[in-house]
Amino acid sequence: MASWALSRITNLQNHLNPTPKGENLIKISPEVSEALSLGKAVVALESTIISHGMPYPQNLETAKEVEEIVRQNGAVPATIAILDGVSCIGLSVEELERLAILGRKARKTARRDIAHVIATRGNGATTVSATMFFASMVGIPIFVTGGIGGVHRHGESTMDISSDLVELGRTPVAVVSAGVKSILDISRTLEYLETQGVCVTAYQTSEFPAFFTDKSGFKAPSRVDSPEECARLIDTSSNLKLGTGILIGVPIPSEHSASGKTIESAIQKALSEAREKNITGSAETPFLLARVNELTGGASLASNIALVKNNARVGAQIAVSLSQLREQSS
């Protein structure tokens, strides 16, 4: 039994008992709780992609498929969301379906929104920053998503910078993603991550991936070529107590990579429309992704689903390698 995992889960249970009024702040599914206590591989998954990423029932089907991919590769999936004011680490099939049906009625929840959603007993779909926070809280070292947020185009004037980047700078969770969404300013995003002290590495490539496409034109600061290398990187960062996250950029499989030129053309049109409609802040990215999907005839959504599944496969393999590494050293 991995003592570090058992200690973390025991400490969590001690501090999050029901309050005198019987209110719970957090609920860990039995499957996830057991896996953590035994030091088994666990992969955190966000829930915004379910509620805001695609329509029902496609969102439910995709969520189930992603969880199944994690299991097939030897890890336990822990989809994270807030339901009726309770932070849920690991969702049942019924809870997944409920969230999928809620769709955009569930509040898109970043770190700043967590306390308010819980205090008002609301329903929240966690973004990258909120999912990282909860994953770190219960001792899940790896989180899989599609793509992280970043510095928006013209961000040097608007200061529109995703909280994902700040979270990566202060929360020790490894994030497996297909890089940065190409609707963003990739160059400035990488610069900002450097300022935050975040280790950014690319998986089996030397170029930082750009979500819809496997090439961004920007060299990755470092490279890893196997789940074992990723595991050693994560474990080393943890042992050094750097206190920062790690961003592992996994390129979308080439057979699903959308035409960079086609996507870029759609992005420019969507950006122009967003400015005309004065769509900014947290509403901008969902609008842009939906509009780009319309303009590409569904090609971008198909690419999005393919890359999330690929990330789940890689993330689960990394989680298994990390669990084995820690078991050997314990």
Side-chain angles (χ1 to χ4, degrees):
M1 182 177 295
S3 59
W4 60 270
L6 181 58
S7 175
R8 177 62 76 101
I9 199 70
T10 301
N11 185 59
L12 178 70
Q13 291 169 339
N14 289 338
H15 284 83
L16 295 174
N17 283 327
T19 65
K21 294 182 179 181
E23 298 169 341
N24 286 318
L25 291 177
I26 195 166
K27 180 182 73 172
I28 306 176
S29 75
E31 181 186 25
V32 173
S33 179
E34 180 182 17
L36 288 173
S37 68
L38 296 175
K40 293 182 178 179
V42 180
V43 172
L45 301 168
E46 64 163 292
S47 48
T48 298
I49 192 172
I50 302 171
S51 62
H52 291 68
M54 57 195 76
Y56 179 84
Q58 187 177 24
N59 56 356
L60 177 60
E61 294 168 0
T62 301
K64 288 179 178 178
E65 288 170 357
V66 169
E67 286 202 346
E68 182 57 28
I69 288 170
V70 170
R71 289 192 174 94
Q72 288 174 353
N73 284 275
V76 172
T79 302
I80 296 175
I82 301 173
L83 295 173
D84 298 323
V86 177
S87 306
C88 301
I89 316 298
L91 301 183
S92 65
V93 174
E94 292 75 21
E95 289 169 332
L96 273 177
E97 184 168 15
R98 180 185 173 193
L99 187 64
I101 293 173
L102 275 172
R104 293 177 180 271
K105 291 180 182 178
R107 182 170 173 181
K108 187 178 179 182
T109 305
R111 174 192 269 257
R112 71 167 186 182
D113 309 304
I114 292 172
H116 187 263
V117 174
I118 292 176
T120 56
R121 297 180 177 83
N123 298 308
T126 56
T127 64
V128 170
S129 64
T131 307
M132 286 185 70
F133 170 80
F134 285 121
S136 178
M137 186 180 189
V138 302
I140 301 174
I142 296 172
F143 160 47
V144 165
T145 185
I148 66 164
V151 178
H152 282 251
R153 300 191 188 195
H154 309 294
E156 70 276 13
S157 301
T158 64
M159 293 300 292
D160 193 349
I161 301 171
S162 172
S163 63
D164 297 354
L165 306 187
V166 178
E167 200 66 39
L168 276 160
R170 66 183 171 190
T171 303
V173 171
V175 178
V176 178
S177 83
V180 177
K181 297 181 180 76
S182 48
I183 59 175
L184 304 170
D185 187 324
I186 297 176
S187 176
R188 285 190 171 91
T189 298
L190 289 171
E191 288 288 348
Y192 196 87
L193 285 168
E194 180 186 3
T195 300
Q196 293 291 316
V198 177
C199 174
V200 177
T201 190
Y203 189 74
Q204 297 180 347
T205 180
S206 296
E207 185 166 345
F208 189 71
F211 195 65
F212 291 125
T213 62
D214 55 359
K215 298 186 185 301
S216 66
F218 298 97
K219 187 176 178 309
S222 64
R223 171 175 176 156
V224 286
D225 287 303
S226 67
E228 292 75 20
E229 284 187 32
C230 291
R232 286 196 295 272
L233 175 61
I234 295 167
D235 196 51
T236 299
S237 180
S238 176
N239 290 336
L240 290 170
K241 301 188 185 302
L242 289 173
T244 53
I246 296 172
L247 178 59
I248 302 172
V250 180
I252 183 173
S254 57
E255 64 268 26
H256 297 292
S257 180
S259 166
K261 186 176 181 180
T262 300
I263 293 290
E264 184 59 30
S265 175
I267 287 171
Q268 290 300 331
K269 183 172 177 56
L271 284 167
S272 177
E273 292 177 2
R275 287 193 292 271
E276 290 173 2
K277 297 179 180 180
N278 197 31
I279 298 174
T280 59
S282 62
E284 185 175 21
T285 295
F287 169 80
L288 291 174
L289 290 175
R291 188 68 182 115
V292 168
N293 185 56
E294 291 174 4
L295 293 170
T296 60
S300 66
L301 179 56
S303 294
N304 195 344
I305 293 172
L307 66 84
V308 169
K309 291 180 178 179
N310 186 56
N311 291 347
R313 176 184 61 82
V314 174
Q317 291 172 355
I318 294 171
V320 170
S321 292
L322 179 61
S323 175
Q324 292 172 345
L325 177 64
R326 288 178 167 173
E327 184 177 1
Q328 291 168 4
S329 61
S330 63

